[in-house]
Amino acid sequence: MAAKGQTQPTASKEANSAVVVRNAQQAGRDHIVATAALGGLEIYDLSGKRVGTVPAGEVASVDAAYGVAVGKRSATVVAAIETTTNSLRLFTMQGPALTEVGARALPLGFAAEGVCLFQNPLDGSLNAFIVGDGGEVDQQILFPTAQGNLDARQVRRISLPSTLKQCVADPAGHV
């Protein structure tokens, strides 16, 4: 199957990962959030036009989750792996704008390569699975703070015998 379109090149001319972020309030007004290596994150409309940038360090991977409790509201959350500091950074997305909502850059303690989000259908909790180039798989539960940000607590870390670059979590929680 041939591609029907493409985004403008990232400012850095490098892209590692991208995610299509749905807009529940306005059908057809979805966006693409892409990594731009040292350029942080870039936001594109579905025609491929760059409509925004967010400085976020050297970003390797992104994923999105919908209907996440952040403060007193429900939001679309975009998670990004920042490889300069090996940390997880969290943003909310409203239209084409990303706003950092993490209580802090969440340190991981290993060279992270990918992130995938899973929202537990039983209790609504949001979990981030972070994979690393040493075979690490870190599960963090994300939770709202009293200040209206998101913070995280490690649930577990497992090690696999091979390098991991990407992950995906399905609605049943399979990673």
Side-chain angles (χ1 to χ4, degrees):
M1 176 179 228
K4 295 187 188 247
Q6 66 183 29
T7 64
Q8 294 175 311
T10 63
S12 68
K13 306 292 189 244
E14 291 184 53
N16 293 324
S17 178
V19 64
V20 175
V21 181
R22 295 185 335 259
N23 184 329
Q25 286 77 33
Q26 294 180 302
R29 302 287 294 186
D30 304 332
H31 290 90
I32 300 165
V33 177
T35 66
L38 288 170
L41 296 169
E42 294 188 359
I43 301 105
Y44 299 86
D45 64 19
L46 293 184
S47 74
K49 179 182 175 195
R50 186 180 313 113
V51 295
T53 61
V54 176
E58 185 171 359
V59 181
S61 181
V62 291
D63 198 13
Y66 306 94
V68 177
V70 179
K72 295 180 190 243
R73 61 189 171 91
S74 177
T76 297
V77 170
V78 174
I81 295 297
E82 205 267 289
T83 61
T84 307
T85 59
N86 291 311
S87 59
L88 176 65
R89 297 192 49 192
L90 303 169
F91 303 86
T92 56
M93 186 161 199
Q94 181 87 27
L98 285 174
T99 303
E100 192 147 16
V101 70
R104 56 198 165 93
L106 304 161
L108 300 168
F110 62 91
E113 295 285 339
V115 61
C116 55
L117 297 174
F118 166 70
Q119 195 157 16
N120 189 324
L122 298 177
D123 63 8
S125 64
L126 182 62
N127 290 263
F129 291 90
I130 301 102
V131 298
D133 68 0
E136 303 90 346
V137 180
D138 202 26
Q139 180 183 0
Q140 301 266 345
I141 189 165
L142 307 178
F143 57 90
T145 67
Q147 294 74 31
N149 295 320
L150 287 175
D151 207 341
R153 177 179 46 81
Q154 184 183 54
V155 174
R156 62 185 156 179
R157 178 174 293 165
I158 61 171
S159 294
L160 300 174
S162 62
T163 298
L164 300 170
K165 297 278 186 187
Q166 300 293 328
C167 65
V168 65
D170 71 14
H174 300 106
V175 177

